[in-house]
Amino acid sequence: MQNNALTGERLFTSRDLTRLIIPLIIEQFLAVTVGMADTFMIASVGEAAVSGVSLVDVINNLIIQILAALSTGGAVIVSQFLGRRESRNACMAAKQLLYSTTVLALLLAVAALAARRPILRLLFGEIDADVMENAVTYLTFTAISFPFLAIYNSCAALFRSMGNSKVSMLSSLLMNVVNIGGNALFIYGFRWGVAGAGAATLASRALAAIIILRLVGDHRNAVFVEHLQRIRFEWPMIKNILRVGIPNGIENGLFNIGKLIVQGFITGLGTAAIAANAIAGSISGVLLVPGNAVALALITVVGQCVGAGAYDQARFYIKRLMLLVYACVAFMSAALMLLLEPLTGLFPLSDAARGLVLELLPTFALVMAAIWPMAFPFPNVLRAAGDVRYTMVVSMISMWSLRVGMCYVFVDLMHLGVSGVWYAMYCDWLGRSACFFLRYLSGKWKNKRVIA
């Protein structure tokens, strides 16, 4: 990628953006596909299994988002160093990112394994015994996989910061093939049920982590890591990573804790509501795939522009990529409206659960097309520039005052059921969108610095 801010040449050509974004879209589709495949295969075991896995997935998503936040911090730092053509510092930041995320993941894994049942009881209260047993089993396997997931996420973020998303796409493809194949073998062949799904997840993450770690050690990369066995913590560099990663981690962590509380509203509505929310969440996740892919690209593009001091180019790419996000979500919303019935029919649900899914998704498609792009992809513009404290504060206030607060209003006071939970989510989206857009217009994001 040419990087010449002085002569006014574009840091990213159209071909560069295509090479970055297309693999990201494919990778995100693969991630969602394996999630849907897990849900579909586990659904064959019964609604108690789906419910147990969906509850654990809320915890897992919290852990994943915390690890992803740290990876994002590293990706922002690496991207800005690349924009400044400081490859040595970029490589140092990459190595410190791997150390930091792996240590954190090990600590989280030990904590999750040591307190499985207390965590589940604390978060979800009294749930059916069969749902609890399935949840404990699935949490055991997925907790062991946290360190492997941390390594994979960190390496994938490094390749994206270089503008090379093809490597992470191919690694994701391998991981998903192993996961789905393992599900088929362990669930249908060995009849292991939820344990089979957990074992397949663990095996796929471990294999993907080992492979992508070897690839990131290639000296032909713009950013590479070497001699990982010679552990040495460079605290000034780690501080730079944490300057982005900690606010982002707090933001993601509290956001997902809020989602855990929201899940508590759903568990009180019965097994059909839990299953319907899980299936609707899986399907809606597909709609967000292209937008989430472009959101990841924004970190790389804006980060390198900011590192090079090319703010005019940053604004140019922001407009271009956000228009792409809106086009993608509009297309996916239209596709859902056409395919809603067949998609829902793929899942073996009770009539009550299926009816709830058909009620939730059409409204979701419309609101997503209008509001979601500014609520979630757009704040990556601010994060890539280092304006992470603002995004953290806005996300915390919006999540807890609008999503959690309105859940209480819609579910407990107005008795709207699981639909009320989704209405509260839309309120949260609206609040975020307004705050992030106003911050961008103020121009204050251009005054932030994360590297000296």
Side-chain angles (χ1 to χ4, degrees):
M1 238 169 257
Q2 292 185 352
N3 182 356
N4 195 340
L6 295 177
T7 63
E9 293 180 17
R10 295 293 184 195
L11 277 77
F12 294 83
T13 65
S14 296
R15 186 176 181 184
D16 292 332
L17 292 176
T18 301
R19 284 178 172 176
L20 176 62
I21 293 170
I22 296 300
L24 284 174
I25 291 175
I26 296 172
E27 180 183 350
Q28 293 295 303
F29 265 120
L30 289 171
V32 172
T33 299
V34 76
M36 292 187 68
D38 271 346
T39 303
F40 178 78
M41 292 179 173
I42 293 167
S44 66
V45 183
E47 284 194 1
V50 173
S51 298
V53 169
S54 71
L55 296 181
V56 173
D57 276 342
V58 176
I59 300 173
N60 286 338
N61 287 336
L62 169 61
I63 303 301
I64 289 169
Q65 291 300 319
I66 291 173
L67 296 175
L70 201 53
S71 297
T72 297
V76 168
I77 300 302
V78 170
S79 294
Q80 292 198 11
F81 276 129
L82 288 175
R84 289 170 55 166
R85 296 184 177 182
E86 297 181 11
S87 5
R88 183 175 177 276
N89 282 331
C91 292
M92 184 190 300
K95 191 172 184 179
Q96 297 306 307
L97 172 64
L98 275 167
Y99 288 151
S100 303
T101 53
T102 303
V103 169
L104 176 60
L106 285 169
L107 294 174
L108 292 172
V110 170
L113 289 170
R116 288 164 293 179
R117 289 181 186 274
I119 289 173
L120 291 167
R121 289 197 187 98
L122 174 66
L123 295 174
F124 306 116
E126 292 299 322
I127 55 179
D128 294 343
D130 51 352
V131 174
M132 173 62 82
E133 291 308 312
N134 282 308
V136 168
T137 300
Y138 193 64
L139 181 56
T140 300
F141 282 97
T142 54
I144 296 172
S145 75
F146 290 163
F148 297 112
L149 184 62
I151 293 170
Y152 173 81
N153 281 346
S154 297
C155 293
L158 292 175
F159 276 110
R160 287 193 293 269
S161 69
M162 300 179 234
N164 182 0
S165 55
K166 184 177 180 181
V167 170
S168 59
M169 177 196 72
L170 294 174
S171 301
S172 178
L173 175 61
L174 173 65
M175 182 165 58
N176 291 345
V177 167
V178 172
N179 199 340
I180 293 174
N183 280 340
L185 176 64
F186 297 143
I187 295 176
Y188 298 140
F190 294 168
R191 304 290 181 184
W192 286 1
V194 168
T201 298
L202 172 58
S204 64
R205 288 176 176 176
L207 180 61
I210 292 168
I211 291 174
I212 200 168
L213 185 60
R214 290 184 62 86
L215 292 174
V216 85
D218 190 337
H219 286 219
R220 291 172 294 181
N221 296 326
V223 177
F224 60 88
V225 295
E226 59 181 352
H227 307 308
L228 284 171
Q229 72 279 9
R230 302 176 190 172
I231 299 175
R232 180 179 176 181
F233 292 97
E234 301 286 348
W235 296 110
M237 189 63 73
I238 291 176
K239 183 179 179 181
N240 280 337
I241 294 171
L242 296 180
R243 193 175 297 164
V244 179
I246 287 180
N248 203 25
I250 293 172
E251 174 186 339
N252 289 349
L254 291 178
F255 175 76
N256 281 278
I257 289 172
K259 288 179 72 174
L260 286 171
I261 294 174
V262 168
Q263 188 69 37
F265 285 96
I266 297 172
T267 56
L269 300 173
T271 301
I274 298 173
N277 187 70
I279 300 302
S282 294
I283 295 175
S284 64
V286 177
L287 306 185
L288 304 179
V289 164
N292 282 327
V294 181
L296 291 173
L298 279 166
I299 293 287
T300 299
V301 174
V302 177
Q304 289 201 25
C305 289
V306 169
Y311 288 97
D312 287 342
Q313 291 199 44
R315 285 192 294 268
F316 169 80
Y317 290 122
I318 290 164
K319 291 177 184 178
R320 189 172 181 181
L321 293 178
M322 285 306 300
L323 285 173
L324 178 59
V325 173
Y326 272 101
C328 289
V329 295
F331 173 80
M332 297 302 289
S333 295
L336 176 69
M337 301 299 270
L338 293 174
L339 301 173
L340 180 57
E341 292 277 356
L343 280 174
T344 307
L346 292 175
F347 298 93
L349 295 170
S350 64
D351 290 340
R354 182 173 290 105
L356 288 172
V357 172
L358 293 173
E359 178 184 333
L360 294 173
L361 288 177
T363 304
F364 175 86
L366 295 174
V367 179
M368 177 197 71
I371 303 175
W372 180 81
M374 294 302 296
F376 287 94
F378 188 73
N380 272 1
V381 170
L382 307 180
R383 295 185 186 106
D387 196 8
V388 289
R389 291 185 181 179
Y390 181 82
T391 62
M392 175 189 72
V393 171
V394 168
S395 297
M396 289 168 53
I397 293 174
S398 181
M399 180 68 187
W400 290 87
S401 64
L402 293 177
R403 190 175 299 205
V404 175
M406 295 308 293
C407 267
Y408 173 74
V409 172
F410 291 144
V411 177
D412 285 2
L413 299 183
M414 299 178 66
H415 306 292
L416 297 179
V418 70
S419 294
V421 173
W422 288 57
Y423 296 155
M425 177 175 69
Y426 305 147
C427 293
D428 175 33
W429 289 4
L430 186 60
R432 290 166 183 268
S433 298
C435 292
F436 293 141
F437 185 59
L438 290 174
R439 181 67 166 190
Y440 176 75
L441 291 180
S442 75
K444 292 181 180 179
W445 57 279
K446 292 185 288 186
N447 301 322
K448 302 298 177 179
R449 295 287 185 273
V450 291
I451 57 176

